[in-house]
């Protein structure tokens, strides 16, 4: 610049600054005018143009900003004005010669200032370049209307791959240290450090998963479910609001009852699932997935402020206030009653109970993601270690053992339970996962209802969730093809079942429910295998164990 010799530098990161520029977004949006300060080489507010009630002071008014020397700007293909979009001074020169000489037109001709930084590093330099080419002053060129306030980018986010966990911290469960002490292989699932598997000395991961599955089916295991999203909904109109949010009916849910539900978006696509517990009249606890729960809460809050703004209720995200430990297996019920003797003798499946132990509030929800009798025992997060140790002492005579996420996935797959986001995609409707009967029983409006009436959702060629039987473990993501080679869908989940001693899998298959017994080919991971369309419920299809 200014006749200086070119230099070549080796570096890992290039930081680009757009000079000292006052933040005048609000002032500009309110109708205030800007002028170019020649000494400071930036735009500052015209004081007498400020709308009523607005006074600009300090650096926003250009005060105390340093002066900047005026230099000639080279016009060429290697002189960049906007590095993010590769706009050079030569591009701006072409725009002006083509008649696009105003800053708004130059912006649209070259895309200068349209990059992720929205012109923070390029707008002033673009104006200076336009002024030089047109042989006028930057003040005569003017500036585009500034956009509303923006969120600055943190320095650690600009540091590239060396930022560690600063840009997106990974959350820890209340019992994080306990899981480490148990020898858990901790991995990141949905932004949380969670236990994938608890391997013993010399044990492979596959062997550990096999052992944990068998133990859960024959004894009792404990799974840390604290990462599940928990949303407290309370108020006179809470039931009506939740009836609108869920695709299945919720108005008739009574105190002490729990119901599984699907949540759809406006297009009728499955976005999340979970269980809804009625703690008492007008007070509900929504338990959503770990992965999609945050977005579910934001969406529920949006609905409360838009479509449901007249309803009387309040919501609170209470995920981190609780530690939730799930007891699952044929011995779970007996252990639960020894652990919490104040509970009623009968705790039916899909019910919720509030009790206490040593003056500590305990919430028990009888729900299952394994096909075994299971109970989610929740206590305040600050009492997590105490409850864990209490469970350990009581559980010794029941052979209580920890259960990791990988084994849990096998257990739910044996049972044929879907996992939203894994066994569904961006085109999956509740009809595709066998919810036609539940939707027919629903009375009243709900999110996504109108979209489900579109002809496309009744197309028999739509992919439906079904079970897939085979003699070898199918590749997840493997393409399912018919005899004529036409693509019919893909494998969504697949694993070896220690309980059934054979592979189990789920897949989205075109008109799958009408093709039970049909053989299809699956290609993936460099191999081609044959699979048969079967009922997804491989283990305990009649729910005998859940009703035990």
């Amino acid at each position: 610049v200014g006749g200086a010799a070119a230099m070549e530098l080796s570096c890992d990161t290039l930081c680009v600054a757009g000079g000292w520029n006052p933040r005048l977004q609000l002032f500009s949006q309110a109708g205030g005018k800007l002028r170019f300060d020649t000494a400071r080489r930036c735009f500052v507010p015209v004081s007498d143009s400020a709308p009523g009630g607005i006074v600009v002071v300090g650096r926003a008014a250009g005060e105390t900003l340093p002066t900047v020397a005026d230099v000639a700007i080279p016009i060429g293909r290697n002189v960049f004005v906007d590095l993010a979009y590769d706009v050079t001074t030569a591009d701006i020169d072409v725009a002006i010669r083509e008649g696009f000489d105003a800053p708004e037109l130059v912006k649209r001709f070259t895309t200068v200032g349209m990059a992720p930084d929205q012109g923070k590093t390029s707008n002033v330099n673009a104006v200076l370049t336009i002024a030089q080419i047109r042989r006028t002053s930057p003040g005569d060129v003017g500036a585009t209307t500034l956009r509303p306030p923006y969120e600055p980018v943190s320095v650690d986010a600009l540091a590239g791959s060396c930022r560690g966990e600063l840009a997106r911290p990974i959350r820890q469960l209340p019992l994080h240290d306990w899981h480490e002490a148990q020898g858990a292989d901790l991995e990141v699932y949905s932004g949380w450090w969670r236990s994938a598997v608890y391997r013993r000395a010399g044990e492979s991961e596959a062997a550990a998963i096999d052992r944990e599955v068998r133990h859960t089916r024959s004894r009792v295991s404990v799974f840390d479910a604290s990462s599940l999203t928990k949303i407290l909904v309370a108020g006179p109109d809470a039931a009506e609001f939740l009836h609108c949010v869920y695709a299945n009916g919720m108005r008739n849910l009574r105190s002490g009852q729990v119901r599984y539900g699907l949540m759809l978006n406006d297009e009728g696509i499955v976005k999340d699932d979970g269980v809804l517990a009625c703690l008492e009249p007008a007070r509900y606890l929504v338990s959503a997935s770990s992965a999609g729960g945050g977005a579910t809460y934001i969406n529920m809050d949006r609905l409360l402020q838009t479509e449901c703004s007249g309803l009387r209720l309040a919501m609170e995200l209470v995920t981190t206030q609780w530690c939730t430990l799930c007891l699952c297996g044929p011995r779970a019920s007996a252990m639960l009653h020894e652990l919490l003797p104040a509970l009623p003798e009968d705790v039916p499946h899909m019910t919720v109970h509030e009790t206490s132990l040593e003056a500590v509030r305990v919430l028990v929800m009888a729900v299952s993601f394994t096909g075994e009798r299971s109970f989610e025992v929740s206590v305040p997060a600050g009492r997590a270690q105490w409850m864990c140790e209490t469970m350990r002492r009581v559980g010794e005579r029941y052979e209580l053992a920890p259960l990791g996420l990988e084994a849990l996935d096998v257990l739910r797959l044996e049972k044929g339970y879907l996992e939203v986001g894994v066994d569904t995609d961006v085109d999956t409707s509740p009809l595709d996962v066998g919810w036609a009967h539940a939707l027919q029983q629903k009375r009243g409006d709900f999110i996504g209802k109108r979209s489900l009436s579109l002809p496309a959702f009744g197309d028999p060629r739509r992919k439906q969730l079904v079970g897939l039987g085979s003699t070898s473990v199918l590749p997840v993501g493997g393409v399912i093809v018919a005899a004529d080679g036409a693509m019919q869908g893909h494998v969504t989940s697949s694993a070896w079942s220690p309980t059934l001693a054979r592979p189990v899998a789920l897949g989205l298959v075109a008109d799958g429910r009408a093709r039970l017994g049909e053989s299809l080919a699956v290609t993936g991971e460099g191999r081609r295998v044959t699979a048969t369309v079967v009922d997804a419920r491989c283990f305990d299809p009649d729910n005998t164990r859940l009703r035990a």
Side-chain angles (χ1 to χ4, degrees):
V1 177
M7 292 186 296
E8 206 170 285
L9 301 174
S10 176
C11 63
D12 296 318
T13 303
L14 177 64
C15 298
V16 180
W20 295 103
N21 296 288
R23 294 184 182 176
L24 298 172
Q25 284 81 6
L26 282 176
F27 177 80
S28 180
Q29 286 290 312
K33 305 301 181 184
L34 306 180
R35 66 175 179 84
F36 188 78
D37 188 314
T38 305
R40 296 175 175 83
R41 311 295 284 173
C42 66
F43 285 92
V44 296
V46 177
S47 57
D48 59 3
S49 73
I54 296 180
V55 179
V56 186
V57 297
R59 287 196 172 188
E63 300 170 7
T64 72
L65 292 179
T67 58
V68 181
D70 188 7
V71 297
I73 301 172
I75 307 300
R77 282 286 169 202
N78 293 321
V79 183
F80 291 91
V81 180
D82 192 326
L83 280 171
Y85 273 6
D86 293 340
V87 179
T88 67
T89 56
D91 296 325
I92 294 178
D93 184 43
V94 171
I96 293 172
R97 285 191 280 111
E98 291 290 339
F100 298 89
D101 55 356
E104 294 87 349
L105 300 178
V106 169
K107 179 177 180 179
R108 284 153 180 81
F109 188 94
T110 64
T111 71
V112 66
M114 293 185 181
D117 73 332
Q118 286 294 291
K120 303 301 181 296
T121 64
S122 60
N123 276 351
V124 172
N125 288 332
V127 170
L128 294 175
T129 303
I130 294 170
Q132 178 176 303
I133 295 173
R134 288 176 46 187
R135 295 180 179 156
T136 186
S137 68
D140 291 336
V141 172
T144 58
T145 302
L146 299 178
R147 296 193 175 190
Y150 61 93
E151 182 70 22
V153 178
S154 59
V155 173
D156 57 272
L158 295 172
S161 60
C162 301
R163 63 180 180 268
E165 297 180 7
L166 295 176
R168 188 178 181 183
I170 301 173
R171 307 169 84 178
Q172 294 184 0
L173 301 173
L175 290 173
H176 181 84
D177 294 341
W178 182 85
H179 292 300
E180 286 189 322
Q182 299 302 308
D185 289 351
L186 294 173
E187 297 182 13
V188 179
Y189 295 85
S190 307
W192 295 83
W193 282 113
R194 301 177 70 185
S195 305
V197 66
Y198 297 86
R199 282 194 288 185
R200 296 173 179 174
E203 190 176 41
S204 68
E205 181 178 83
I209 294 172
D210 185 282
R211 171 179 51 78
E212 290 179 18
V213 170
R214 292 180 183 276
H215 189 94
T216 304
R217 293 287 186 218
S218 61
R219 297 172 180 81
V220 59
S221 298
V222 59
F223 170 73
D224 193 338
S226 301
S227 64
L228 291 174
T229 304
K230 303 170 189 68
I231 306 168
L232 187 64
V233 183
D237 297 326
E240 189 63 32
F241 175 69
L242 294 169
H243 190 79
C244 177
V245 169
Y246 282 94
N248 50 319
M250 294 297 173
R251 286 181 184 143
N252 61 348
L253 194 65
R254 300 291 177 255
S255 296
Q257 293 182 334
V258 177
R259 187 166 296 166
Y260 174 78
L262 290 180
M263 298 180 184
L264 316 181
N265 62 14
D266 292 329
E267 289 74 41
I269 302 302
V270 176
K271 295 303 292 182
D272 201 10
D273 67 346
V275 293
L276 172 63
C278 182
L279 304 180
E280 59 186 18
R283 181 165 162 262
Y284 302 83
L285 183 64
V286 173
S287 181
S289 68
S290 302
T296 294
Y297 174 76
I298 293 174
N299 185 52
M300 290 172 66
D301 186 60
R302 176 185 66 83
L303 293 172
L304 186 57
Q305 298 181 54
T306 54
E307 283 88 342
C308 305
S309 60
L311 299 182
R312 300 163 297 165
L313 65 129
M315 294 193 309
E316 183 182 4
L317 187 62
V318 295
T319 303
T320 56
Q321 296 181 24
W322 295 90
C323 169
T324 301
L325 298 174
C326 182
L327 296 174
C328 44
R331 299 179 183 176
S333 181
M335 179 184 162
L336 177 75
H337 283 87
E338 183 173 341
L339 175 71
L340 300 169
L343 278 176
E345 183 177 347
D346 185 24
V347 181
H349 184 54
M350 300 305 281
T351 60
V352 62
H353 303 264
E354 291 191 77
T355 184
S356 63
L357 179 64
E358 298 181 18
V360 176
R361 181 188 178 198
V362 182
L363 186 69
V364 178
M365 196 180 303
V367 294
S368 178
F369 196 49
T370 63
E372 299 291 338
R373 286 304 309 274
S374 302
F375 306 91
E376 292 183 359
V377 179
S378 298
V379 295
R383 304 308 301 270
Q385 191 67 38
W386 164 81
M387 176 52 80
C388 183
E389 290 303 316
T390 304
M391 277 190 175
R392 182 188 61 78
R393 290 195 303 270
V394 175
E396 285 182 354
R397 62 190 297 259
Y398 297 96
E399 299 182 73
L400 179 69
L403 173 66
L405 270 170
E406 294 300 319
L408 178 72
D409 192 53
V410 175
L411 290 163
R412 70 94 187 169
L413 189 51
E414 291 177 339
K415 183 63 178 174
Y417 288 149
L418 72 88
E419 182 176 350
V420 174
V422 175
D423 300 306
T424 64
D425 57 26
V426 295
D427 191 44
T428 305
S429 80
L431 301 171
D432 302 329
V433 295
W435 268 53
H437 181 65
L439 295 178
Q440 290 169 357
Q441 292 183 318
K442 177 76 178 263
R443 297 293 180 266
D445 200 7
F446 61 91
I447 302 302
K449 178 180 179 179
R450 183 172 59 180
S451 295
L452 292 176
S453 65
L454 295 173
F457 285 103
D459 190 335
R461 294 170 297 179
R462 288 186 63 83
K463 293 183 292 183
Q464 299 170 344
L465 188 66
V466 294
L468 295 170
S470 64
T471 57
S472 61
V473 176
L474 299 176
V476 175
V479 177
I480 301 171
V481 294
D484 60 359
M487 180 177 174
Q488 300 294 297
H490 66 282
V491 179
T492 59
S493 299
S494 178
W496 171 261
S497 166
T499 308
L500 305 172
R502 61 176 174 83
V504 289
L506 295 176
L508 287 169
V509 179
D511 198 20
R513 288 192 293 272
R515 305 173 73 168
L516 293 177
E518 182 177 340
S519 294
L520 299 168
V522 177
T523 61
E525 298 179 353
R527 57 195 178 98
R528 183 184 180 94
V529 295
T530 300
T532 304
V533 180
V534 298
D535 191 318
R537 299 167 298 176
C538 299
F539 175 78
D540 189 30
D542 298 325
N543 293 328
T544 303
R545 296 171 77 99
L546 284 177
R547 292 194 295 264

